């Protein structure tokens, strides 16, 4: 019951529309051809409608702005249908057509659409005889309309009778919604793909600051929104967006054109403009921009709606270079050979085309040149899209009529729509079919407009874009060094920094900080250098850091190693001398075995200096301090034992001397002193041993050095040696007035003073010196200390042994002791004690048992 009421209401609505379609006009012009199956065609043969109001309030609508290009597009459909009939691709079934002029207007299109549906209503109602139904063959499908705004409105109305509409130009993504538009299909990709293609062109050429011309129509609104979506992902900004009225007869169009032109001229740094406007819009804009001196450097990205419309520029007065470069996005191009042949064979007698008033009128106006003029307005993309739409319908009809006689039982629009969804049709050797959204996703051709001697060539394909998101560029696609940016590109070595209140395309270029780099143009950030690499401020790459340390070929290290070698050689020489004169009084008085141990420790100390040079490693860092600390501790311990030996013999009173003689165990003392240092260095090595480390210097070099890590342990090692040296100094100072032949105390005192001075100076120098020469400071101090001991302890003795042999005798020693006793007179008991000590020293050191002490008056 509800279905019948709905159907009757629908029938009344269509009849009302039919009445409205004839109101104020005699009739609609239409091109027709008889056939068993009628295909509708809706083409904007006129681009706009001029509405006038009569005195009685009625309206007169006159279609104006005749488009020769759109007339050609209607003839593409006619030629394709006639070819199918001639080749009898559908057997004895013929295809006819009913072509209407949409006039580029939604309202006009809706008033004319019932002409496609009237026969369907009669056939569907079943109120008329079969003969009557056959006399008014139903339109089973419609090819058109071209504009998305019209297609959206028309398909809603056609869907009331399930009439499928196949558009060859309506690309709005909204039409892919089959819930809202179940009867709409198209042979062109939807605008989401075109927007992505345009964004790729902008991105590939580095155009990040572009202008956009659009309209308030459905097509332009949708594709502008999609373009913004894709360009925003790529960091491309719209410098301005000018919206023009979609209706060419809008009374505000003139002001909108003026405002748009002013915006274009004012934005001097915008060299690239994307336009989704209609051809007439662009014609008006170009007329205003012809005298703009900046026009020649502009690049225009034309959408499919005007990318093949050369008529927008009057080539008789101006050339393409006056407005700049035009890159067009078009649909896949078809083969125009058959269409050109068809136009060449076109009968130019207007009376022979009474069934096509559009063509007849054109032939009357242009006469014998009609064919040539029509051929100049062939758009290859339209040839492909319209022919493919005809092929799709023909294949669907063939699929439906395989098992039935469609002459007597014609298929319904609903049946044809179902067949179209399943149809697999082919053209030019390729197979096609509609996807679930009713789209046929072919590729885009990118054309570059060229100026010829007589006209504009808008069909030069320079690239192709697949809907699978990749470009194929041809060698002829060259745009020169055109830039369109809000700010200049940030060169390598700089990064983009946003400016408050400005679009992200308007930024500042900040140089990369030290040890960071950027190696691309317009880098978003500076990348840190990898380990062991560095860069200066504003660098585009990182350089390998030079590794710095105290190298073996460094002149300072060579000098220090020379002194080290000399010290080692002198130590060996002294040892040889001592061993060669082992039984002489000088060697014996120097406590020969202890002296050899002392020389051995000096030798190790000199050797430890070598460990402070060259590239450091963890083992070397640990070894050099440990070897120095232990060897120099042994050295100072031996000196301390010698000091105690001499002072013990000469200086102490009998009571104290008796006690100290019991405690005096030289090798045990050395062992105990060494044990203390061993505890310190062992604790250091176990807890936090020195390791090889590195740091970055001011001149961006990687300085390799030994990190002592546990500085208190390092300090404790030096303090421990200093404490032993201080004891040596105190004991030696007490025995500074002994006889010359036993006067080690003076030289020990002097050696310890050298040690103290050098290490006191070491502290502040070590702290303040930086770089690779830090180890050299400690090397110098070690050498000074070692040379001080070597010179003070052994050189005077070697001089006596080698140069003053007369002093290296027992007689000489007795004389020195006798003289010392004569010069230091005291009480009888004191003198007797001294003489006894002298006798002990001589007996102990020179093995002279029979010492005859001369008697004096005081004894």
């Amino acid at each position: 019951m509800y279905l019948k009421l709905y159907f009757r209401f629908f029938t009344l609505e269509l009849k009302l529309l039919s009445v409205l379609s004839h109101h104020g006009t005699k009739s609609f012009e239409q091109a027709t051809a008889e056939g068993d199956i009628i295909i509708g065609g809706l083409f904007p043969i006129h681009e706009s409608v001029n509405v006038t109001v009569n005195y009685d309030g009625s309206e007169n609508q006159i279609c104006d702005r005749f488009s020769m290009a759109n007339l050609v597009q209607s003839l593409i459909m006619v030629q394709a249908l006639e070819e199918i009939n001639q080749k009898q691709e559908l057997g004895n079934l013929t295809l006819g057509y009913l072509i209407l002029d949409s006039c580029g207007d939604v309202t006009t299109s809706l008033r004319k659409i019932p002409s496609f549906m009237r026969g369907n209503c009669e056939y569907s109602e079943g109120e008329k005889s079969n003969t009557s139904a056959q006399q008014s063959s139903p339109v089973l499908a419609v090819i058109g309309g071209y504009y998305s705004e019209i297609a959206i409105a028309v398909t809603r109305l056609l869907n009331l009778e399930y009439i499928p509409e196949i558009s060859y130009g309506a690309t709005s993504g909204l039409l892919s919604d089959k819930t809202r538009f179940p009867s709409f299909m198209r042979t062109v990709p939807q605008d989401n793909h075109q927007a992505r293609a345009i964004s790729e062109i902008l991105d590939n050429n580095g155009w990040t600051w572009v202008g956009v011309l659009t309209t308030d129509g459905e097509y332009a609104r949708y594709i502008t929104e999609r373009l913004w979506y894709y360009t925003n992902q790529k960091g491309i900004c719209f410098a301005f967006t000018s919206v023009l009225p979609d209706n060419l007869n809008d009374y505000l169009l003139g002001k909108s054109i003026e405002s748009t032109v002013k915006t274009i001229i004012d934005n001097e740094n915008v060299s690239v403009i994307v336009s989704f406007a209609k051809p007439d819009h662009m014609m008006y804009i170009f007329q205003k921009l012809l005298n703009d001196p900046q026009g020649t450097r502009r690049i225009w990205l034309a959408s499919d709606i005007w990318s093949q419309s050369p008529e927008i520029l009057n080539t008789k007065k101006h050339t393409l270079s006056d407005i700049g470069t035009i890159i067009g996005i078009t649909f896949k191009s078809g083969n125009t050979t058959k269409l050109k042949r068809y136009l060449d064979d076109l009968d130019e007698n207007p009376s022979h085309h009474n069934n096509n008033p559009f063509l007849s009128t054109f032939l009357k106006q242009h006469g014998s040149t009609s064919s040539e003029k029509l051929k100049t307005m062939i758009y290859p993309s339209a040839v492909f899209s319209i022919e493919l739409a005809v092929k799709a319908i023909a294949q669907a009809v063939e699929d439906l009529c395989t098992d039935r006689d469609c002459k007597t039982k014609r298929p319904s629009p609903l049946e044809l729509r179902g067949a179209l969804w399943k149809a697999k049709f082919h053209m030019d050797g390729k197979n096609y079919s509609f996807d679930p959204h009713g789209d046929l996703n072919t590729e885009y051709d990118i054309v570059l407009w060229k100026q010829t001697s007589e006209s504009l060539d808008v069909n030069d394909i320079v690239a192709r874009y697949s809907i699978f998101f990749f470009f194929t560029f041809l060698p002829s696609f060259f745009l020169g060094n055109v830039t369109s940016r809000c700010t200049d590109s940030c060169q390598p070595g700089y990064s983009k920094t946003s400016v408050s209140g400005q679009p992200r395309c308007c930024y500042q270029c900040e140089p990369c900080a030290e040890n960071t780099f950027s190696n691309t143009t317009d880098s978003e950030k500076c990348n840190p250098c990898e380990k062991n690499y560095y860069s200066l401020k504003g660098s585009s790459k990182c350089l390998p850091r030079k590794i710095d340390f105290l190298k073996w070929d460094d002149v300072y290290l060579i000098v220090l190693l020379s002194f080290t070698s000399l010290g080692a050689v002198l130590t060996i020489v002294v040892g040889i001398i001592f061993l060669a004169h082992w039984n002489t009084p000088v060697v014996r008085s120097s406590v020969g075995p202890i002296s050899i141990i002392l020389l051995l420790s000096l030798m190790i100390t000199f050797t430890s200096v070598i460990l402070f040079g060259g590239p450091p490693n963890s083992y070397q860092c640990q070894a050099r301090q440990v070897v120095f600390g232990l060897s120099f501790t042994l050295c100072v311990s031996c000196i301390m034992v010698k000091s105690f030996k001499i002072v013990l013999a000469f200086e102490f009173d009998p009571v104290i001397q008796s006690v100290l003689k019991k405690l005096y165990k030289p090798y045990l003392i050395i062992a105990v002193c060494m044990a203390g240092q061993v505890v310190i260095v062992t604790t250091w090595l176990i807890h936090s041993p020195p390791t090889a480390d590195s740091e970055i210097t001011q001149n961006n070099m990687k300085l390799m050095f030994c990190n002592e890590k546990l500085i208190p342990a390092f300090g404790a090692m030096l303090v421990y040696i200093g404490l032993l040296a201080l004891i040596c100094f105190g004991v030696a100072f007490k025995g500074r007035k002994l006889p010359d032949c036993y006067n080690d105390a003076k030289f020990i005192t002097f050696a310890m003073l050298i040690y103290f001075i050098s290490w006191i100076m070491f502290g502040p120098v070590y702290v303040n010196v930086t770089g690779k020469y830090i180890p050299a400071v400690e090397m110098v101090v070690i050498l000074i200390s070692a040379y001080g001991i070597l010179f003070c302890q052994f050189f005077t003795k070697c001089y006596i042994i080698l140069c003053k042999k007369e002093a290296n005798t027992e007689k000489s020693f007795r004389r020195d002791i006798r003289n010392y006793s004569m010069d230091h007179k005291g009480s009888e008991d004191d003198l007797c004690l001294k003489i006894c000590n002298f006798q002990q020293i001589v007996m102990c050191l020179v093995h002279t048992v029979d010492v005859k002490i001369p008697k004096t008056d005081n004894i």
Side-chain angles (χ1 to χ4, degrees), residues 498-552:
S498 60
V499 180
S500 178
Q502 294 291 328
R504 65 174 181 172
C505 297
C506 302
Y507 47 79
Q508 292 179 342
C509 297
E510 296 291 339
C512 293
E514 289 186 0
N515 298 320
T516 63
F517 75 101
S518 66
N519 56 4
T520 59
T521 303
D522 287 331
S523 177
E524 295 289 341
K525 63 178 182 178
C526 295
N527 302 309
C529 293
E530 295 181 359
K531 187 178 181 181
N532 298 328
Y533 283 79
Y534 79 99
S535 67
L536 301 177
K537 185 177 181 180
S539 296
S540 60
K541 62 179 180 179
C542 293
L543 302 174
R545 292 186 187 277
K546 292 182 178 179
I547 299 177
D548 197 19
F549 55 87
L550 194 57
K551 298 180 176 62
W552 296 116

Side-chain angles (χ1 to χ4, degrees), residues 696-713:
I696 307 305
T697 62
Q698 292 182 351
N699 56 354
N700 286 302
M701 298 183 72
K702 182 180 180 180
L703 176 64
M704 300 294 295
F705 65 96
C706 286
N707 186 354
E708 313 302 347
K709 298 187 74 173
L710 197 61
I711 299 300

